[in-house]
Amino acid sequence: MTTTRPQKPTLVSAAVTAFLLGTSLAATAAGDEAGESSGHPDTSKGEMSYMGTPQSEPDAKMVTSPGAPAMTEAEFGKAKQIYFERCAGCHGVLRKGATGKPLTTDITQERGTEYLKTFINFGSPAGMPNWGTSGELSDAEIETMAKFLQHPPPEPPEFSLEDMKATWNVLVPPQERPTEQANDLDLGNLFSVTLRDAGQIALIDGHSKELVTTIDTGYAVHISRMSASGRYLFVIGRDAKITLIDLWMETPRTVAEIDTGLEARSVETSKYPGWEDKYAIAGTYWPPQFVVMDGDTLEPLKIVSTRGMTVDTQEYHPEPRVAAIVASHEHPEFIVNVKETGKIWLVDYTDLDNLEVAMLDAARFLHDGGWDQTKRYFLTAANQSNKIAVVDSKDREMEALVDAKKIPHPGRGANFVHPEYGPVWATSALGNADITLIGTDPKDHPDNAWQAVDVLEGQGGGSLFVKTHPESNHLYVDTPLHPTEEVSQSVAVFDINNLDEGYEVLPIAKWAGIDEGPQRVVHPEFNKAGDEVWFSVWNGQEQASAIVVVDDETLELKKVIKGDWLVTPTGKFNVYNTQHDVY
């Protein structure tokens, strides 16, 4: 297959660049050819979009706010970009907190610059990355961020249907696409791998472990999701750009794209029988809203704001972000997590002109989640509320709220049959070493259903993902955000049939053979057969990274994938497992 090598990436979309540079979307989009003069010496417009406006004047204007240390405009602009890229996902665009603590000025100004510098530098076992000691931020950048957080947050613009349509691009119309698969790839064992800081995904063949191609996407791809048919790959970046990739083409390529806002995490397609892939949906962190699109072209059809009242205090919240979205298998609807209000929306897509939404009260700070093994019950973390919410998608009601200590963070979770308690779903946590197992079988194990039947102790806090497979006897738990290197660079493995024996540690980063960088080990993902599991060794953008493949039966190293195209790999999504919700 054709292999393409990454070019210098454009990290953020036009909308995000406009916000970061303080310009309008129209001004950013107009005439931004990579080599066109920007008006700054030795800096093209393309480079400005990539790096931000150069500031070297000794008399640069100052940014001042009551109670906050003064900053130059250049420092403020740089900090705004770092905050968008590294911090907003957990702390919120308006810094009101969710997975991460609130960073409002009443808090940050009281803490002061030195305290904030220390916290940013060293992180915490509760999941705050050690941005300084890992080498990802310099001392100067840390000081700039500590000052920036004491100023009020700049509020980005809204994003309308007109704004979306201005970015919508159908590169290959549906009628010009293949009518059958035009390549010899085993699509079921293809992996879509996030190349976070390159603004790309890599497609890797699961059999040969060879690169098929790299494809430009949005900045910091969050997830890849499959169409119900298994043909189309939907990729969404943290800059809210969606890339629709046709895997049937001779070399898989982008056939449509759109910007849905300035920051996002979630995309999904309709899966109910008779409605397969008719619609796609994307939820954004900013603006707080979701958009329903045509499933073949990404044409935006319906935008719905999620601003509203919180589930507990019933106060108005200006930034209730859209987190996980899943497509119901029981009804023609999407299940949408509205993070800050703590409500789960059931969005009926049968009539977009007269949209019906049922709102279920759960708990605040809804985040990630996934299906139980029957795909009837959706289990999702309300992370700062330390709860797992359970939705019965068939009866369209809340089934339970289950306690899970200290910021549960399941990813999509992990399903397996516990030798004593029957079917369970597992979540790890950011704030402690707990792996909580929740019973999911109300029919045959009613006494265990929707309760934490067991709690395993892993290596420590800072876990992002747990993973298993129906063909595996192992449960894998990563800890990439733990501040101790030997923990963040390894994974814990439990034998599902002998959970009381504790875990075995696999030195994944050591096996990768990389000598520098933070080498965070993140996101276990199985191949289609369930006999091997892939891990990302996530390093800095200028450092070597790797993917380590482990034999699931022997727990021994099977393969190390490297290459100069492998820039900051994080999430890996096996096509078959993603299409069929196997986890």
Side-chain angles (χ1 to χ4, degrees):
M1 303 302 297
T2 301
T3 298
T4 59
R5 300 177 63 82
Q7 304 298 312
K8 186 176 183 180
T10 299
L11 290 185
V12 291
S13 68
V16 175
T17 301
F19 167 55
L20 294 175
L21 299 183
T23 60
S24 69
L25 177 61
T28 304
D32 189 20
E33 297 297 330
E36 187 177 342
S37 173
S38 65
H40 294 275
D42 302 318
T43 308
S44 70
K45 284 191 173 183
E47 290 172 316
M48 281 179 58
S49 296
Y50 176 71
M51 301 175 63
T53 306
Q55 295 278 354
S56 58
E57 297 84 358
D59 58 344
K61 293 181 180 179
M62 304 298 290
V63 177
T64 58
S65 303
M71 303 178 69
T72 67
E73 286 187 342
E75 289 176 323
F76 195 86
K78 176 66 173 177
K80 186 162 62 169
Q81 181 166 352
I82 292 173
Y83 186 85
F84 165 76
E85 293 178 354
R86 303 294 187 189
C87 314
C90 286
H91 299 284
V93 172
L94 303 182
R95 303 191 205 146
K96 293 183 177 292
T99 306
K101 298 288 187 181
L103 295 173
T104 49
T105 55
D106 59 320
I107 297 171
T108 56
Q109 289 183 11
E110 180 182 352
R111 296 288 191 270
T113 302
E114 292 305 313
Y115 175 95
L116 294 171
K117 283 168 57 178
T118 300
F119 199 67
I120 296 168
N121 186 41
F122 291 102
S124 79
M128 171 72 175
N130 53 326
W131 295 113
T133 57
S134 69
E136 294 193 45
L137 293 180
S138 67
D139 290 344
E141 288 172 328
I142 289 172
E143 179 155 1
T144 297
M145 291 305 298
K147 293 191 292 185
F148 173 76
L149 293 175
Q150 297 173 67
H151 291 262
E155 185 168 330
E158 301 296 320
F159 209 76
S160 67
L161 182 65
E162 182 181 3
D163 293 328
M164 290 185 197
K165 286 189 172 181
T167 71
W168 174 45
N169 187 14
V170 180
L171 289 84
V172 183
Q175 63 272 18
E176 296 178 14
R177 300 171 194 168
T179 57
E180 59 184 16
Q181 187 176 338
N183 58 59
D184 59 1
L185 294 169
D186 178 1
L187 296 183
N189 205 31
L190 191 68
F191 285 78
S192 174
V193 178
T194 297
L195 306 180
R196 188 188 190 279
D197 293 328
Q200 296 177 321
I201 58 112
L203 296 179
I204 301 177
D205 180 80
H207 298 290
S208 68
K209 315 297 188 292
E210 295 293 328
L211 175 68
V212 175
T213 188
T214 58
I215 298 174
D216 292 337
T217 60
Y219 169 74
V221 166
H222 189 62
I223 58 172
S224 297
R225 288 289 180 261
M226 290 305 305
S227 63
S229 66
R231 172 179 182 170
Y232 290 112
L233 182 67
F234 292 80
V235 176
I236 190 164
R238 291 175 186 247
D239 60 355
K241 180 176 181 177
I242 301 176
T243 306
L244 179 61
I245 298 165
D246 187 353
L247 300 179
W248 278 14
M249 304 195 79
E250 183 175 358
T251 298
R253 58 169 289 196
T254 300
V255 293
E257 58 188 10
I258 190 172
D259 293 349
T260 57
L262 272 74
E263 188 184 2
R265 294 296 185 276
S266 52
V267 66
E268 181 62 290
T269 63
S270 52
K271 293 182 177 178
Y272 189 71
W275 294 84
E276 294 95 336
D277 301 332
K278 180 175 178 59
Y279 295 124
I281 183 174
T284 48
Y285 270 23
W286 190 271
Q289 61 193 32
F290 62 82
V291 57
V292 180
M293 300 161 285
D294 181 89
D296 286 332
T297 66
L298 301 182
E299 179 185 5
L301 303 173
K302 185 78 170 184
I303 300 175
V304 180
S305 172
T306 54
R307 291 181 171 98
M309 315 306 284
T310 60
V311 69
D312 44 12
T313 58
Q314 298 190 48
E315 296 175 275
Y316 177 77
H317 199 291
E319 191 191 355
R321 300 173 289 173
V322 177
I325 301 176
V326 295
S328 174
H329 301 274
E330 301 284 351
H331 298 281
E333 60 190 16
F334 296 115
I335 302 176
V336 178
N337 277 354
V338 183
K339 195 180 189 88
E340 280 75 14
T341 58
K343 297 182 179 182
I344 299 174
W345 290 19
L346 309 181
V347 180
D348 184 332
Y349 49 70
T350 57
D351 184 356
L352 296 186
D353 292 331
N354 301 282
L355 196 69
E356 292 186 7
V357 178
M359 298 184 186
L360 306 182
D361 287 352
R364 292 184 69 183
F365 309 116
L366 293 161
H367 192 61
D368 250 347
W371 295 106
D372 79 309
Q373 63 182 11
T374 70
K375 299 181 180 60
R376 171 174 175 172
Y377 298 99
F378 175 55
L379 295 94
T380 185
N383 49 34
Q384 281 290 356
S385 295
N386 300 321
K387 303 282 187 183
I388 298 295
V390 184
V391 174
D392 182 343
S393 69
K394 183 175 182 178
D395 291 344
R396 305 179 77 244
E397 62 186 17
M398 283 294 302
E399 190 71 22
L401 283 172
V402 185
D403 291 333
K405 293 180 182 178
K406 204 73 174 172
I407 320 179
H409 196 288
R412 307 206 82 182
N415 289 297
F416 62 92
V417 178
H418 191 285
E420 181 178 353
Y421 301 111
V424 297
W425 178 90
T427 178
S428 56
L430 284 169
N432 59 29
D434 286 359
I435 299 102
T436 303
L437 310 183
I438 297 171
T440 61
D441 185 10
K443 180 180 178 182
D444 295 327
H445 298 80
D447 293 341
N448 300 330
W450 320 131
Q451 298 185 52
V453 296
D454 199 0
V455 178
L456 311 176
E457 183 176 353
Q459 292 197 85
S463 176
L464 292 179
F465 301 101
V466 291
K467 191 61 67 75
T468 188
H469 188 279
E471 300 300 321
S472 172
N473 291 318
H474 294 122
L475 174 68
Y476 296 85
V477 185
D478 70 12
T479 42
L481 299 186
H482 197 283
T484 304
E485 283 189 354
E486 60 194 273
V487 178
S488 65
Q489 295 178 0
S490 61
V491 295
V493 188
F494 292 84
D495 182 340
I496 288 170
N497 297 313
N498 297 284
L499 293 168
D500 292 339
E501 294 184 2
Y503 57 83
E504 181 176 347
V505 176
L506 302 186
I508 301 297
K510 181 179 179 180
W511 287 348
I514 297 172
D515 297 326
E516 62 174 352
Q519 302 176 56
R520 294 189 176 107
V521 175
V522 65
H523 198 261
E525 175 72 339
F526 278 85
N527 63 344
K528 179 182 177 181
D531 59 9
E532 62 185 34
V533 59
W534 297 30
F535 300 91
S536 294
V537 180
W538 171 23
N539 242 341
Q541 187 173 358
E542 303 302 324
Q543 298 161 327
S545 291
I547 293 172
V548 172
V549 182
V550 173
D551 185 296
D552 177 64
E553 183 178 358
T554 65
L555 300 183
E556 295 178 351
L557 175 64
K558 190 171 183 178
K559 177 76 174 179
V560 177
I561 302 172
K562 292 181 178 178
D564 58 4
W565 52 270
L566 193 62
V567 179
T568 58
T570 52
K572 300 158 300 303
F573 302 89
N574 174 268
V575 165
Y576 181 88
N577 294 339
T578 304
Q579 178 187 358
H580 296 281
D581 294 307
V582 177
Y583 37 79

